[in-house]
Every structure is written in C-alpha cells, then in structure tokens.
Amino acid sequence: GTEMHLRVRIAPLGNRFMLVLAADRTEELRLAGVRRDFVANISHELKTPIGAVAVLAEAIEAAAEDPARVRAFAGRMQLEADRLARMSKELIDLSRIEAADPLAHAERVSISRIVDVAIDRNKVQAAAKRMRIIPRVLDEAEVLGSEELVTMAVQNLVANAVQYSPEATHVGVGVRVADGIVEIAVTDKGVGIAPEEQERVFERFYRVDPARSRVTGGTGLGLSIVKHVAASHGGEITLWSRPGQGSTFTLRLPVAGAPAKETA
Ligand code: ADP
C-alpha cells in the first residue's frame, strides 16, 4: 500500500498552541529495511543451488570416463535446477502478491471449489506416498478476493502437509463457517513443528531442517506466500503443532456478504 502516515504533535507558539502535522517515515523506513533483507536473503539463497550446479558440472567433466557417476551427478544437477526453477516461480508469485491489492479487483471465490483444486493439484504427490487427502466441507462459503491467490495458499498448505508426513498417513482439509469467518484447516499426522519454531516458519526462506529441505526441494517460501495471501484478504493464518504428532494450519478469511440486490 502507499498509505501516508502522519504524526500529529501539539507545539507551543507564543502563548498559543499550534497543531503540527508531519509525515511519519517509520513505516516507510521499516519497509525499506524489509526489502533490503529480502534482497540479501535472495542472494544468499540463490548462491547454494547455483554453486551446486557449478560444482556438479565440474564433477561431470572429471568423471567423463565413468558413465554411472556421470548419471548420478547429472541427476543431482537436475534436482538443483528444479529447485532454482521453483524458487524463481515462488519469488515472482510473492512479488506479485506484494505489488497488487487483491481486493482492488476482487471476485467472489467459492471455498469448496478452491479446496477441490488444491487437493487435486497434490494428488500425485500424495499417491506416491500412499496418502489420502480427505476434504470435510461442513459449510459452503464465498470470500472476496483473488481465486488464484487463495488457491495458491491452500495448495501450499496441503503440499506441506503431504511433504512433512510419513507414508500412508492421512491429511484432512476441513472447512467451516463461524461468525462471518470461514476457517480452512489443513491437518496432518506428520513430523510437527517445535514451539520455538512455530513463529519462524512463516518467515521467508526459513526451514526447520534446511539439510532435509534441500533433498525434498523446499524453498522456504511457501508459508510466507500463505501469510501474505491471508493478510491481503483481511484474514490470518495460525498454526497448532506438536512434534511427532502433527500440525494443523488454519487459514481464516472473512466471508463475502450477500450479493447486492438488483435495483430496478
Ligand atoms: P518449504 O518450501 O521448505 O516447505 P515453507 O515456507 O512452506 O517452505 O515451510 C517452511 C518450513 O516449515 C518447512 O521447511 C518445514 O520445516 C516447516 N513446515 C511447513 N509445513 C509443515 C508441516 N505441515 N509439518 C511440519 N513442518 C512443516
């Protein structure tokens, strides 16, 4: 947003007082800091896969006489390239969300349809781990906003639930409405997140276990995208988790009011 922050001060002027209005630059400076950190983070995060690709290219050259090793190095190079591709896509998504106000061109978005799409887009990964994703839509609801972004958020939560759970467990996606808020709760029986990590997982590039995440191809951007989508739609994302038992991520969004009646 480009909202202006004003600081109001009452200053003495002779025997009278005057009202002083001054632009408050605190928010502006904070955002500049966030942006600077972001760029520093990106540079750091890109160095790892780019460095790995360079090292693997050298290793392939050195192993040219040994086809098995060439194949192994080429496979790892492919994984790093996939990760770079995913990272650049997610970074572009994130900057698009930050640049645009999804409520400016809001559409009415059906939550049950979004849940269906989010589950569908994760079914291959779930099947590969013999997992089932079970929707429990207790209430129908519509929200105002961007269908693409809300789908992306729910899809990310379901993807994480599958990713961070052992084989043959189930993921639940519950939807219910209370007090004008729709709650979309994604529950897994996975590894869980320790209390001291629970705030941090929503930060950009934060991963509880970077070594493991590198193998699985995580970028650490998924939950920061979810958090942005929630905030830009006037909602929130919360987390309940216990290590070894599982996690529930709950996305809450305000329900769209009844459509305006046609007036003759
Ligand atoms: P990533 O691309 O690494 O999955 P996210 O931003 O989506 O990035 O998640 C950040 C970190 O939070 C993950 O690396 C993982 O450690 C942890 N995490 C996210 N979802 C879950 C979950 N459902 N269960 C356990 N840990 C999770």
Side-chain angles (χ1 to χ4, degrees):
T2 50
E3 62 203 282
M4 169 78 129
H5 293 261
L6 286 177
R7 203 175 45 213
V8 182
R9 201 157 61 83
I10 297 171
L13 178 75
N15 59 349
R16 304 168 69 179
F17 289 91
M18 90 182 160
L19 203 60
V20 178
L21 287 179
D24 182 353
R25 298 193 59 229
T26 316
E27 179 64 7
E28 197 183 314
L29 293 175
R30 190 188 66 83
L31 287 176
V34 167
R35 216 159 283 142
R36 225 176 9 250
D37 290 350
F38 187 35
V39 172
N41 281 341
I42 292 175
S43 323
H44 175 79
E45 291 294 324
L46 289 178
K47 266 185 202 145
T48 313
I50 291 173
V53 167
V55 168
L56 287 164
E58 275 174 29
I60 289 173
E61 219 166 23
E65 307 299 313
D66 184 345
R69 287 180 67 203
V70 167
R71 266 197 302 278
F73 290 141
R76 279 170 52 192
M77 207 164 160
Q78 185 68 56
L79 287 180
E80 296 294 342
D82 289 348
R83 183 141 169 274
L84 271 171
R86 199 161 33 239
M87 208 182 263
S88 58
K89 183 193 169 295
E90 289 179 4
L91 282 171
I92 291 166
D93 288 343
L94 201 52
S95 61
R96 272 183 41 226
I97 303 169
E98 288 183 336
D101 175 5
L103 296 184
H105 308 280
E107 42 185 344
R108 295 181 79 91
V109 179
S110 153
I111 293 299
S112 59
R113 187 164 76 226
I114 280 180
V115 166
D116 285 346
V117 172
I119 291 176
D120 197 63
R121 290 192 188 156
N122 281 288
K123 67 174 184 223
V124 173
Q125 290 84 339
K129 295 175 77 175
R130 293 180 296 117
M131 294 175 69
R132 278 207 302 145
I133 309 170
I134 304 163
R136 286 192 202 85
V137 180
L138 299 184
D139 300 301
E140 286 291 341
E142 286 183 329
V143 301
L144 278 184
S146 156
E147 171 150 24
E148 189 199 347
L149 294 181
V150 179
T151 305
M152 192 190 291
V154 178
Q155 187 185 328
N156 273 332
L157 293 177
V158 176
N160 281 346
V162 172
Q163 172 93 274
Y164 298 104
S165 294
E167 292 207 353
T169 55
H170 292 169
V171 168
V173 185
V175 176
R176 64 172 190 193
V177 173
D179 300 327
I181 303 286
V182 57
E183 274 187 15
I184 306 151
V186 180
T187 300
D188 65 56
K189 299 269 174 281
V191 296
I193 301 168
E196 63 273 19
E197 310 270 11
Q198 291 181 8
E199 287 277 330
R200 303 213 64 194
V201 292
F202 295 101
E203 293 170 17
R204 288 179 180 122
F205 300 116
Y206 189 81
R207 287 154 299 192
V208 173
D209 182 353
R212 189 193 149 170
S213 196
R214 196 152 299 136
V215 177
T216 55
T219 60
L221 288 171
L223 288 178
S224 57
I225 291 177
V226 176
K227 192 174 171 181
H228 269 278
V229 172
S232 63
H233 284 74
E236 60 169 13
I237 173 82
T238 57
L239 161 60
W240 176 94
S241 186
R242 208 162 273 166
Q245 283 185 28
S247 310
T248 296
F249 285 83
T250 306
L251 176 62
R252 290 190 187 81
L253 300 171
V255 171
K261 285 241 168 64
E262 295 261 334
T263 45

